[in-house]
Amino acid sequence: MPVRGHLCGVYGDEREWAHMATAFVREGLAFGQRIAYYTDTHSRQSVVEVLREHGVDVDAAMGRGQLLVEEAAASYLRRLPFDPDVVLAGMRGAYEQALAEGFPGLRIVGEMDWCTRDVPGADRILEYELRLEREVFADLPLTGLCFFDDASAADAALVVAAHRQFVPPTGAGPAGLGLTVNVAPDSRDVRLHGHADLDTRSSFAVVLRNVARMPGPVVHLDLAALDFLDVDALAQLVSTTVTLRETGRRLVLQSPPASLIRAAAMFPDECDVLEIAA
């Protein structure tokens, strides 16, 4: 069976990138899937040449429409700002088109280093990655690989850690992060891990800003894996709740840590807006 799901690959040099890219493409071709590779760090021509050098019959695969290599700037980044709604719809459309043209599945490769540059809409990349997991990979039997080089991975550590699956040579997400977020494997709720305090204050703000953009009348935030939350983080939750309510939406907190309950008891009037699931 081919690998499936939402994968992340972080590479330290060109050799590592070439190894991961070629293995991913070759497996997809072997299973008859269509592969769409969107370049950013590498040029379209360099991707094609590396695949050829590693034994992939690029011309034949492209000739039968099984392999597509395009620059991100000429495809899903052609119209800016980056809009997760548009890109997610395009991904679903690409999957349906692949099936309509006789392919048993689709796998997508995206070089994601652009998200650390000053690209309009790049601040929504965490929202996009979480929604990819919840709205696309949870429903469709397709596979995606997000590529980051080491430098970009460090700058986008929250985004990288949002992936639950990693491909060699990394084998694991970024180490040492005090706060991470992903989609819970047993539900479609967004789940926080770690702690929300002075050390992770800016990361917590980024998470809440992106989570608040998730579609739907109710945003569920699972805090079961959050071991501590300070008063400032509590204030951010209150502010986010109020902002959502002003647009007719709700933020529901699932399984909050004891520190949140204690802090909320100290400020009952301010925290009365919080909605905590039983």
Side-chain angles (χ1 to χ4, degrees):
M1 286 287 292
V3 65
R4 275 183 49 188
H6 188 193
L7 313 176
C8 184
V10 179
Y11 58 92
D13 55 37
E14 292 298 285
R15 182 189 59 82
E16 290 181 350
W17 162 72
H19 172 75
M20 287 190 286
T22 303
F24 189 77
V25 169
R26 186 183 288 119
E27 182 185 72
L29 293 175
F31 281 98
Q33 298 169 318
R34 167 171 281 171
I35 299 98
Y37 192 120
Y38 297 101
T39 71
D40 177 69
T41 308
H42 303 91
S43 69
R44 179 184 182 278
Q45 187 58 37
S46 66
V47 171
V48 169
E49 289 175 356
V50 161
L51 293 176
R52 282 199 182 109
E53 289 170 2
H54 286 75
V56 175
D57 192 343
V58 173
D59 295 329
M62 287 184 165
R64 59 180 176 265
Q66 190 177 4
L67 175 63
L68 310 173
V69 182
E70 301 179 9
E71 295 181 0
S75 52
Y76 70 91
L77 291 181
R78 182 168 57 88
R79 294 182 179 179
L80 297 174
F82 173 74
D83 186 338
D85 289 322
V86 173
V87 180
L88 292 173
M91 188 173 294
R92 282 186 168 273
Y95 173 77
E96 293 167 359
Q97 183 177 358
L99 294 188
E101 295 181 12
F103 297 100
L106 172 70
R107 58 177 54 199
I108 298 175
V109 187
E111 296 184 350
M112 304 300 295
D113 297 329
W114 62 266
C115 76
T116 63
R117 302 195 300 269
D118 191 21
V119 174
D123 61 318
R124 300 185 67 181
I125 189 63
L126 181 58
E127 172 202 351
Y128 167 72
E129 294 289 356
L130 293 172
R131 290 178 61 186
L132 259 182
E133 190 74 43
R134 191 174 73 171
E135 299 174 28
V136 177
F137 293 105
D139 290 338
L140 301 179
L142 58 81
T143 305
L145 171 59
C146 296
F147 264 137
F148 294 84
D149 67 23
D150 273 340
S152 295
D155 290 340
L158 268 177
V159 177
V160 172
H163 298 75
R164 286 204 307 267
Q165 299 185 65
F166 292 80
V167 296
T170 39
L177 289 181
L179 179 74
T180 60
V181 58
N182 59 28
V183 176
D186 54 349
S187 72
R188 297 193 180 189
D189 295 345
V190 175
R191 177 177 291 175
L192 289 176
H193 304 255
H195 47 270
D197 54 17
L198 179 62
D199 292 336
T200 62
R201 188 162 295 168
S202 60
S203 295
F204 191 66
V206 170
V207 168
L208 288 187
R209 187 164 59 248
N210 280 271
V211 166
R213 290 167 168 164
M214 304 283 278
V218 181
V219 178
H220 293 273
L221 191 58
D222 186 340
L223 306 180
L226 197 67
D227 51 36
F228 179 77
L229 183 144
D230 69 9
V231 173
D232 183 84
L234 177 65
Q236 291 190 53
L237 285 173
V238 169
S239 176
T240 301
T241 300
V242 171
T243 299
L244 285 174
R245 285 192 175 188
E246 290 173 349
T247 62
R249 304 172 67 217
R250 295 160 52 206
L251 176 66
V252 176
L253 307 179
Q254 312 265 50
S255 305
S259 54
L260 184 151
I261 303 299
R262 290 195 300 268
M266 296 169 57
F267 306 95
D269 293 337
E270 293 85 351
C271 295
D272 185 58
V273 298
L274 294 179
E275 186 173 348
I276 299 177

